[in-house]
Amino acid sequence: MNTWKKALRLFGQFFQFGCFTFGGGWSIVAQMQKLYVEKEKTITSQELLDITSVGRSLPGTMIGNVAMLYGCRAGGFVCGLVCVIAMITPPMIILSLITYFYTIFKENIWVMSAMTGVRAAIVPIIASAAVNMVKGAFRFPPCFLLAFAAFALYLFLNVSCVALVAMGMIGGILICEYYERREMRHHDSDAA
């Protein structure tokens, strides 16, 4: 029964995320950061970053994957499924209404003006999510170099996302291995 209570609570939270998601998945990550990391403290910033990184590297929509991963982490497969359904329901309803009334909305100056304002408000929301993710993202200094290299490879040389994720995984393993060995040597020399 505890799983169903948790699923109901997650449904309400992710339904609310779905209602107020403008600007794509990153704005949901910002909302999750505020609720789950800062307010409820159910996960750390690093864990949210890990969930987002995995969700981003899997096939499908990033935020659908993030919702599923968070829900599974919070309460198992049922909660994961509930999070995805709750998150996609409001946009599906809104999109259905907009599609139905598209010609009226398209010609309405008030609606178009409001959408311009919404787009302007999205930039700081996404920037806030990015800043919070970067703060907790890198345990070791070479990770900044790895991120910069991946950014440059993607932006200037059009390297595929799959190759970047694979290179990031290999780079992360090598960096962590180096620092763990260095820490062990330092610890051994202090013990001697």
Side-chain angles (χ1 to χ4, degrees):
M1 193 55 130
N2 191 20
T3 300
W4 292 108
K5 285 182 185 177
K6 192 177 291 187
L8 188 60
R9 184 176 60 82
L10 287 170
F11 183 89
Q13 292 169 340
F14 275 83
F15 190 87
Q16 187 175 1
F17 293 160
C19 287
F20 300 105
T21 299
F22 299 94
W26 290 110
S27 62
I28 290 180
V29 173
Q31 292 177 63
M32 290 176 72
Q33 171 85 23
K34 292 276 186 216
L35 180 62
Y36 298 126
V37 175
E38 296 172 15
K39 186 177 177 187
E40 292 183 2
K41 298 186 186 333
T42 54
I43 61 172
T44 66
S45 186
Q46 180 67 40
E47 289 170 320
L48 180 59
L49 177 63
D50 291 344
I51 289 171
T52 305
S53 298
V54 171
R56 184 100 174 119
S57 59
L58 292 173
T61 63
M62 183 263 302
I63 201 55
N65 294 338
V66 168
M68 186 68 181
L69 290 168
Y70 179 79
C72 285
R73 184 193 179 287
F77 181 77
V78 170
C79 288
L81 202 55
V82 164
C83 288
V84 173
I85 291 169
M87 189 192 58
I88 65 171
T89 301
M92 190 170 61
I93 292 168
I94 293 167
L95 188 58
S96 297
L97 290 172
I98 289 174
T99 302
Y100 185 74
F101 295 108
Y102 178 73
T103 54
I104 297 168
F105 287 149
K106 184 176 90 173
E107 296 169 4
N108 186 315
I109 187 108
W110 296 104
V111 172
M112 296 314 292
S113 298
M115 294 311 292
T116 300
V118 167
R119 285 191 300 262
I122 295 310
V123 173
I125 292 171
I126 293 172
S128 169
V131 167
N132 286 330
M133 300 272 291
V134 168
K135 282 181 187 175
F138 305 124
R139 282 179 32 197
F140 307 114
C143 292
F144 288 99
L145 182 61
L146 184 62
F148 179 76
F151 180 75
L153 287 169
Y154 182 76
L155 192 62
F156 300 116
L157 299 177
N158 203 22
V159 174
S160 77
C161 294
V162 174
L164 291 175
V165 168
M167 287 187 281
M169 289 171 54
I170 293 167
I173 290 169
L174 294 173
I175 290 168
C176 289
E177 184 69 24
Y178 169 78
Y179 277 92
E180 286 175 12
R181 286 184 183 198
R182 190 174 101 171
E183 187 177 307
M184 285 176 40
R185 282 194 305 262
H186 185 268
H187 182 41
D188 289 344
S189 66
D190 286 346

